[in-house]
Amino acid sequence: MTHAESLVANLKKHQLVVAVRTETTEAAYHAAMACAEGGMKFIEITFSVPGADEVIRKLSKDGRVTVGAGTVLSVDDAKKAIAAGASYIVSPNFDEDVVKFTKKEGLVSVPGACTPTEIYQAHKAGGDIIKLFPFVEIGGLAFLKAIRGPLPFVKYLLCGGATLDTVSSYLAADAAGVLIGAAIIKRELVVASDWKSIAGLARGFVEKVEGFSQTKVCLHL
């Protein structure tokens, strides 16, 4: 199993990715560490964060988490992310140059797409997982069900709309993973530097996954 295959399999097991988007480098690092304390295994630092590569470099030394870069819009950003130690590259859009560069470097590529044509093109270019974005606005779980008809071989990351109340239905869709943002990295908590509450929210999502996994095991017994 290649490094990329192993990472994709591990994401499938843990299901959750948290996207950290804050206004300062320091806040991003503290928020990410809070998510790690809460049990999150996959943390994405978006390149809209000032000094995102600096945060990735520090986080990549933490053995508890697999760190990726988000909102990667160019090959230059991908180069910075990879040099900093990112293991996967996430974009809101499909840019063939970014996908091909990421794959050439041996990392996991997660381009964004929202139409059947974009999804297939992103997959064909080498995208390991296709980020359905903006997930709710393009139809949510109903869209996922529809698109899987003609494109069942694509691995999907569901991006948008998952809360503690709705995440169980996302998990039941059996996608490659679910990306959580503001439901954990709440702006008011970041402003207040309330990292303990962010850790608690992260833990709540992790417990939902654990509970769902146990239910699945019981159903198969």
Side-chain angles (χ1 to χ4, degrees):
M1 187 181 285
T2 66
H3 168 73
E5 288 169 341
S6 176
L7 190 150
V8 172
N10 202 30
L11 173 58
K12 177 73 174 171
K13 175 184 175 184
H14 294 289
Q15 280 289 290
L16 302 174
V17 183
V18 61
V20 177
R21 188 185 302 276
T22 62
E23 293 178 5
T24 68
T25 312
E26 185 181 16
Y29 179 71
H30 285 301
M33 289 301 289
C35 290
E37 291 292 332
M40 283 281 177
K41 303 297 183 188
F42 287 82
I43 298 177
E44 168 197 321
I45 305 299
T46 67
F47 256 65
S48 57
V49 172
D53 53 337
E54 193 182 313
V55 182
I56 290 167
R57 187 170 287 110
K58 289 172 75 173
L59 279 179
S60 65
K61 296 171 185 170
D62 191 321
R64 295 174 297 176
V65 298
T66 303
V67 185
T71 319
V72 175
L73 301 176
S74 67
V75 171
D76 282 346
D77 282 350
K79 286 178 180 176
K80 287 180 191 174
I82 292 167
S87 294
Y88 51 100
I89 302 295
V90 186
S91 302
N93 63 313
F94 166 53
D95 183 310
E96 188 170 359
D97 291 340
V98 172
V99 172
K100 289 191 179 301
F101 176 77
T102 301
K103 294 310 299 173
K104 182 170 73 73
E105 294 296 313
L107 272 70
V108 169
S109 172
V110 189
C114 69
T115 68
T117 299
E118 286 179 348
I119 290 164
Y120 185 68
Q121 286 178 338
H123 170 78
K124 194 177 175 183
D128 296 284
I129 300 169
I130 308 306
K131 170 181 166 180
L132 293 180
F133 173 79
F135 188 57
V136 172
E137 289 79 1
I138 62 176
L141 294 169
F143 177 82
L144 175 65
K145 183 178 179 182
I147 203 67
R148 272 181 165 159
L151 302 173
F153 46 82
V154 176
K155 295 180 176 69
Y156 297 101
L157 178 68
L158 314 183
C159 178
T163 65
L164 274 173
D165 292 329
T166 64
V167 73
S168 293
S169 61
Y170 279 57
L171 298 174
D174 199 31
V178 180
L179 192 143
I180 316 289
I184 294 175
I185 313 297
K186 290 185 178 288
R187 180 176 172 79
E188 63 271 22
L189 298 179
V190 173
V191 169
S193 299
D194 189 352
W195 314 122
K196 187 175 179 181
S197 291
I198 288 176
L201 288 169
R203 191 170 299 109
F205 276 94
V206 171
E207 287 171 356
K208 287 281 188 179
V209 174
E210 290 170 351
F212 186 82
S213 298
Q214 289 168 2
T215 302
K216 277 208 313 187
V217 168
C218 291
L219 288 173
H220 283 99
L221 291 177

